[in-house]
Structure formats: structure tokens, C-alpha cells
């Protein structure tokens, strides 16, 4: 699975933005046909995606497509228009249960087979942004091995439970935690919510760091200015990498000497601390750092 520290939404009816996105060196680009696109521009968005996937050079960036929700009545046409151009993955918004995941997976598998592409060559991520989705997380996570990630949709979720958004986001704590928990349990990625204030990059950085500290593996973004801040926040710092290396090296030596627990810099290190250090090194490697 590719690292997705930042996933940039691009309203796909806007060709200029598609080209801009392709130049940003962002981990993941999500060409949107859903809420970023007006109803009378859906068809332009579909056509732009089909053509951009064939002609635009996206560099190292992953190319995802967010279709409309299954309840909208537009999803089938969205899939029909984009799947044959082989996106790297599909994002389904506003899912409520596993049946919807199954429905989309069947359509993707059929197109893969018809084109002779490998089964699973098109990834799937789902937006968890309704109360039903949170309640049905376990079934959603286990219905199809194509699923690679859960994405938390804060604004839709807050609206659907009648919550008022706050800076501390305590009204979202249960749902955000549930997303991280299920992603970890089923070996999926977890993408945190969008920061809406385009000017406030320090606020974005703080929220990205708090998401990373909760266990999210990446964050959705909406503007080119947000790429670097978020990709950095989800890359372990040089100090964190250095310390993790020391923990792992020391652990090997102590294991040889028959000690499971030991002290490093005045703090106890045992198996879970070593595991956390190994995870930091893994994340650093996934972000392209030489460790
Ligand atoms: N993807 C790619 N390029 C983008 C972009 C995005 N999400 N957002 C802005 N840009 C480009 C603009 O086209 C502009 O390019 P240019 O200099 O070549 O003209 C440049 O970045 C600067 O943009 P700016 O003028 O600051 O923003 P804007 O007023 O054009 O757009 C938004 C503001 C919010 C409309 C825009 O950022 C956007 O569409 N974001 C995504 C919205 C979305 O997808 N929502 C649904 C998911 S939550
Ligand atoms: Mg949404």
C-alpha cells in the first residue's frame, strides 16, 4: 500500500486544478466528482478524469477518484466513466454499511477482469462520515480485501449527529477514535479530517500533529499550500527517528544479554516501547527517509 500522508482533493471539473495538483509532489491526489463539484458540472468532471488519467503525468502521486454516494443515484455513471481509464483507487463517500462496499467492489472487479488487469489493482478507500458507518465499522472493514483505508469526514459527520464543530474537536473524539481503532485492527490506513482555514497553516500543523499522535496515518487536504505542512507532520522527525534507532539497537543488545526490559535515558524500555520505535522507523521508510 502506498504511503498516503496527504490526500489532496481536486474538484475534477476544473482542469487547471488537475494540472496544478499533478505538479505538487503530493502523496495522493483525489479527483473529486462529489461535493467539490456542482450538480451541473458532474458530467464535465467525469470527462476530465477519464482524459486526465490517460494523458496527464502525475509524477509519483497516486490518482484516486471520489465518486458520488450510492444514495445519490450518480455512482454507477461515475464508475462507468472512470474505471476504464484505470485510476489507482476509488473513494466512496457517505457509506452506511458493508453492502455498499460490496456493490462497488463487484463493479471494480468486473472491469479489472474485462481489461485483464490484476484483481485488486484498483484500490478502495471509504469515507466514514455518517453515524451508521461508525456503527458498522467492523463489517465495513472486513467485507473485501480491496479496502486499504478509512477516511474520516468530519463536517458531514458533525452535521449528521447535530454536533457543533469546535477547535478542540471533542465532539468528534469518539468517531475519530473509532476510525483509528478499526483501521489498526484490520491493517488499514486511517486518514484524518480536513482543515478548512486556508490561511492558518499553524492551526493545520497542530491538527495534523494531533491526528498523527492519535494514530492516523495521513490527512485529507484541500489546497496546494497544505501539502508540505501535512506531509511533514506525518513524517517522523529527525529526533524521533534517531531515538527510535537507539531503542531498537539497544533492545537487540539487551535481548542477547537476556534482558527484556532496560533503561534508556532514564526511562524504561520494554516490548511495547520497542514496537513503537519499530513503527516509527517503518513510517520513516514509507516516507522515503533512509533509516
Ligand atoms: N487542487 C489543485 N489546485 C488547487 C486547489 C486544489 N484543491 N486549490 C487551489 N488550487 C490552485 C488554484 O487553481 C490556483 O492555481 P493558479 O495559481 O494556477 O491559478 C492556486 O492553487 C492558488 O489557489 P487559490 O487562489 O489560493 O485558491 P482558490 O480560490 O482558487 O480556491 C478553493 C479555493 C477552496 C475553492 C480550492 O482550494 C478548492 O477547490 N479546494 C478543494 C475543494 C474540494 O475539493 N472540496 C471537497 C472535498 S472537502
Ligand atoms: Mg463529505
Amino acid at each position: 500500500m502506498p504511503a498516503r500522508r496527504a490526500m489532496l482533493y481536486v474538484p475534477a471539473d476544473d482542469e487547471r486544478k488537475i494540472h496544478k495538483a499533478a505538479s505538487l509532489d503530493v502523496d495522493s491526489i483525489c479527483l473529486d466528482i462529489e461535493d467539490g463539484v456542482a450538480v451541473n458540472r458532474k458530467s464535465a468532471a467525469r470527462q476530465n478524469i477519464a482524459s486526465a488519467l490517460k494523458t496527464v503525468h502525475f509524477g509519483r502521486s497516486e490518482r484516486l477518484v471520489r465518486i458520488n454516494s450510492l444514495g445519490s443515484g450518480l455512482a454507477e455513471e461515475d464508475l462507468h466513466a472512470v474505471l476504464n481509464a484505470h485510476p489507482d483507487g476509488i473513494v466512496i463517500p457517505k457509506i452506511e454499511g458493508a453492502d455498499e462496499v460490496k456493490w462497488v467492489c463487484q463493479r471494480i472487479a468486473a472491469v479489472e477482469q474485462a481489461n485483464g488487469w490484476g484483481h485488486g489493482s484498483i484500490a478502495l478507500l471509504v469515507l466514514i462520515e455518517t453515524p451508521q458507518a461508525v456503527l458498522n465499522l467492523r463489517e465495513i472493514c472486513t467485507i473485501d480485501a480491496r479496502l486499504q483505508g478509512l477516511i474520516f469526514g468530519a463536517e458531514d459527520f458533525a452535521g449528521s449527529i447535530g454536533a457543533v464543530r469546535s477547535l478542540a474537536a471533542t465532539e468528534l473524539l469518539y468517531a475519530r477514535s473509532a476510525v483509528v481503532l478499526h483501521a489498526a485492527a484490520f491493517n488499514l490506513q486511517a486518514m484524518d479530517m480536513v482543515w478548512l482555514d486556508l490561511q492558518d497553516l499553524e492551526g493545520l500543523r497542530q491538527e495534523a500533529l494531533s491526528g498523527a499522535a492519535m494514530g492516523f496515518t495521513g490527512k485529507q487536504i484541500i489546497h496546494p499550500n497544505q501539502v508540505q505542512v501535512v506531509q511533514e507532520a506525518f513524517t517522523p522527525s529527525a529526533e524521533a527517528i534517531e531515538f527510535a534507532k537507539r531503542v531498537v539497537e539497544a533492545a537487540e543488545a539487551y535481548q542477547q544479554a537476556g534482558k527484556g526490559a532496560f533503561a534508556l535515558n532514564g526511562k524504561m524500555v520494554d516490548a511495547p516501547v520497542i514496537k513503537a520505535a519499530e513503527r516509527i522507523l517503518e513510517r520513516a521508510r514509507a516516507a522515503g527517509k533512509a533509516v
Side-chain angles (χ1 to χ4, degrees):
M1 229 186 282
R4 300 182 175 101
R5 294 167 301 174
M7 182 187 92
L8 173 67
Y9 286 107
V10 183
D13 60 322
D14 188 336
E15 268 184 282
R16 190 185 170 92
K17 286 197 172 90
I18 296 179
H19 282 95
K20 178 93 179 180
S23 75
L24 296 172
D25 196 39
V26 58
D27 287 353
S28 185
I29 292 171
C30 185
L31 302 168
D32 187 24
I33 327 179
E34 200 218 7
D35 286 351
V37 175
V39 176
N40 62 4
R41 298 286 296 162
K42 302 285 185 194
S43 138
R46 290 181 188 124
Q47 283 168 25
N48 281 348
I49 293 172
S51 126
L53 288 174
K54 290 183 196 141
T55 58
V56 176
H57 181 61
F58 286 89
R60 67 168 191 93
S61 302
E62 177 187 46
R63 306 145 327 140
L64 302 174
V65 175
R66 180 167 78 169
I67 60 171
N68 287 282
S69 70
L70 272 56
S72 71
L74 300 170
E76 184 137 35
E77 218 177 316
D78 293 342
L79 288 170
H80 183 73
V82 304
L83 280 177
N84 277 311
H86 204 317
D88 296 318
I90 294 292
V91 174
I92 326 175
K94 299 185 181 67
I95 57 158
E96 307 215 317
D99 284 355
E100 292 165 301
V101 179
K102 199 168 160 189
W103 186 87
V104 172
C105 283
Q106 281 167 350
R107 270 150 189 79
I108 297 176
V111 173
E112 281 173 344
Q113 199 175 15
N115 284 285
W117 303 330
H119 182 85
S121 70
I122 298 176
L124 184 76
L125 294 96
V126 295
L127 266 151
I128 304 300
E129 51 189 345
T130 67
Q132 288 80 4
V134 175
L135 292 179
N136 292 326
L137 269 168
R138 183 191 290 255
E139 292 73 28
I140 290 167
C141 289
T142 49
I143 190 83
D144 198 298
R146 186 183 301 279
L147 185 67
Q148 294 191 358
L150 304 176
I151 309 172
F152 180 59
E155 307 311 320
D156 278 298
F157 183 79
S160 64
I161 63 166
V164 178
R165 290 286 283 108
S166 69
L167 187 59
T170 41
E171 69 283 0
L172 303 175
L173 190 54
Y174 177 82
R176 270 173 99 202
S177 304
V179 166
V180 169
L181 179 75
H182 284 79
F186 298 106
N187 220 359
L188 305 170
Q189 292 175 341
M191 305 290 296
D192 202 7
M193 56 205 191
V194 172
W195 176 259
L196 298 176
D197 189 335
L198 303 174
Q199 308 303 325
D200 184 2
L201 294 183
E202 183 49 29
L204 170 69
R205 198 175 72 87
Q206 293 303 334
E207 193 181 83
L209 288 171
S210 95
M214 281 178 78
F216 281 98
T217 54
K219 189 173 180 70
Q220 305 157 80
I221 58 172
I222 49 172
H223 192 278
N225 288 349
Q226 297 185 327
V227 173
Q228 209 193 345
V229 173
V230 167
Q231 291 193 163
E232 259 172 42
F234 284 90
T235 305
S237 67
E239 302 83 68
I241 293 172
E242 212 33 58
F243 184 69
K245 274 185 177 163
R246 284 181 49 210
V247 168
V248 169
E249 277 162 23
E252 275 163 22
Y254 278 101
Q255 275 291 331
Q256 305 250 324
K259 285 197 175 197
F262 58 93
L264 188 68
N265 286 3
K267 289 198 182 121
M268 193 271 282
V269 174
D270 67 352
V273 181
I274 299 163
K275 193 146 194 230
E278 281 164 350
R279 277 190 81 127
I280 287 175
L281 297 180
E282 248 171 59
R283 280 179 43 214
R285 269 183 225 111
K289 299 252 167 190
V291 296

